[in-house]
Amino acid sequence: METTPGTRRAGHIGRHALTAGVAGVLVVLSGCGGLTGAPASTDSASKSGNTPSPPAATVVSEEQAYERVIAQVLPSIVQINTSGGLGSGVVYDTDGHIVTNAHVVGKYKNFEVILATGGKPRKAQLVASYPLGDLAVIRVSDKTGLAPATFGDSTKLKVGQIVLAMGNPLGLSGSVTNGIVSALGRTVTEPQGEGSPGATITNAIQTSASINPGNSGGALTNLSGEVIGVPTLAAINPELGGGAAPGIGFAIPSSTAKDVTEQIIRNGKVTNTRRAALGVRVNTVVGPDGQPVGVGVAQVDPGSGAARAGIKPGDIIISVNGKPTPTAATLSEVLAGLKPGAQARVELLHPNGKTDTVTVILGTLSGS
């Protein structure tokens, strides 16, 4: 599983933040120079400087595919208004359930929902929020005319597939952008903030479809009209002063969104995160130079794998399975690539200055 370093969450649109810079995933890029040594083309059209045009039938066919998917899916996309801003959501069923991001609902319990097809705002209430995975489910009281989306199998995605992102970027209702699946299996960690304790998203879909504030909680669809992801993060480039990094966005895979949504509808909460946990409460420890040096253990859950392995408050976790863990975020990313029940080698720095490596049998991360 691949990890994208230095990420941060894209928030929903605040009511007074439409002119603010685009927030998103901070992707620290290095070695971004142009390609060198590319072989010269021997194609006659390339030599003459002319690029062959695609057959007209191909262009029409692709346009028709886009139009068909948009007509099919867009009625399932809603705008979610809170007292602090707005975001997007996807109608999940005819019983009024709508799936969105936890950071869209934030701390709020009551919402107004506007359908893509128009009409008066509808009242909605929070069913449950799952901040650790940045997902939430709300439910509208007026279920009339709801058009549930079809959720596809994100495990069958392939890099290069054409996708469309639908939502309400910058408050522009019912907007659609297109792109491709750029990469699969990314692990991205959000910063702590309103409605998010610093969610780590596993198996995230990277896409070139434009994702902006307000797209959060909407739909990433394939050309079969299936929702295959929930757009959540948009990248920024620190070299541009925090400006948008074009073509880099991330979505929670639909398989994860479906699993979490079904658990919330059935149980009122997430009962099985399917994520590994050490069984500790931690914080990042910084050295004299102000740089992070490891993850300090503040509390050990009784009966957890960490407790059985002898980890104690005051210990500092330096690495897991040989992978350095200088911050709580990196520890979360490393654990996100492991499974409950697996064994993990945890390197510790004890308060007396001695180091030690213990083997921990991983438990399951709590959904709360």
Side-chain angles (χ1 to χ4, degrees):
M1 180 171 293
E2 213 168 342
T3 298
T4 302
T7 59
R8 58 177 179 154
R9 176 175 62 78
H12 66 296
I13 301 178
R15 293 197 179 278
H16 305 290
L18 294 182
T19 59
V22 176
V25 182
L26 175 60
V27 180
V28 181
L29 304 175
S30 61
C32 296
L35 296 175
T36 59
S41 172
T42 57
D43 182 87
S44 58
S46 298
K47 288 181 178 180
S48 64
N50 298 321
T51 301
S53 300
T58 301
V59 175
V60 171
S61 176
E62 188 168 302
E63 286 179 353
Q64 290 175 338
Y66 283 18
E67 291 170 0
R68 183 179 65 251
V69 173
I70 292 169
Q72 178 181 341
V73 181
L74 200 56
S76 303
I77 309 303
V78 304
Q79 179 173 307
I80 300 173
N81 296 329
T82 73
S83 298
L86 65 86
S88 303
V90 183
V91 178
Y92 191 78
D93 58 26
T94 56
D95 202 30
H97 293 107
I98 294 170
V99 60
T100 184
N101 285 134
H103 76 258
V104 169
V105 303
K107 62 183 179 182
Y108 302 100
K109 306 292 184 183
N110 298 292
F111 317 92
E112 283 190 344
V113 170
I114 301 174
L115 304 187
T117 51
K120 293 182 178 180
R122 306 186 184 200
K123 299 297 182 182
Q125 289 186 322
L126 179 68
V127 178
S129 181
Y130 174 51
L132 292 175
D134 202 3
L135 288 167
V137 176
I138 66 175
R139 189 180 187 187
V140 292
S141 53
D142 180 2
K143 309 163 192 174
T144 308
L146 293 182
T150 299
F151 280 70
D153 186 353
S154 56
T155 63
K156 296 180 180 179
L157 282 176
K158 294 182 179 179
V159 173
Q161 279 187 246
I162 295 174
V163 289
L164 304 179
M166 303 186 193
N168 308 290
L170 304 179
L172 300 172
S173 300
S175 295
V176 182
T177 57
N178 72 312
I180 64 169
V181 174
S182 304
L184 296 167
R186 298 295 198 198
T187 297
V188 290
T189 298
E190 305 173 357
Q192 293 185 359
E194 183 178 326
S196 174
T200 296
I201 300 170
T202 59
N203 294 318
I205 302 164
Q206 182 181 329
T207 179
S208 62
S210 296
I211 297 175
N212 294 290
N215 268 123
S216 292
L220 190 70
T221 72
N222 59 22
L223 291 188
S224 295
E226 298 171 326
V227 176
I228 48 82
V230 177
T232 302
L233 302 168
I236 65 169
N237 187 344
E239 294 182 1
L240 298 178
I248 303 177
F250 300 94
I252 298 171
S254 60
S255 296
T256 299
K258 285 171 60 179
D259 179 37
V260 168
T261 301
E262 289 291 344
Q263 289 190 55
I264 288 176
I265 292 173
R266 184 171 58 249
N267 307 308
K269 62 180 180 179
V270 175
T271 56
N272 187 352
T273 66
R274 311 189 197 284
R275 300 268 290 270
L278 287 171
V280 294
R281 301 292 183 270
V282 300
N283 51 59
T284 299
V285 176
V286 297
D289 59 356
Q291 296 300 309
V293 296
V295 180
V297 177
Q299 179 182 332
V300 179
D301 297 337
S304 66
R308 291 193 296 271
I311 297 177
K312 297 183 178 359
D315 288 337
I316 297 175
I317 299 172
I318 299 173
S319 70
V320 175
N321 288 344
K323 297 180 180 179
T325 55
T327 66
T330 55
L331 174 62
S332 179
E333 290 174 354
V334 172
L335 291 175
L338 304 175
K339 299 293 184 183
Q343 292 186 347
R345 291 176 289 103
V346 180
E347 185 181 5
L348 303 169
L349 173 62
H350 296 298
N352 61 9
K354 294 183 178 179
T355 59
D356 187 18
T357 299
V358 298
T359 299
V360 179
I361 298 177
L362 300 172
T364 301
L365 185 67
S366 170
S368 58

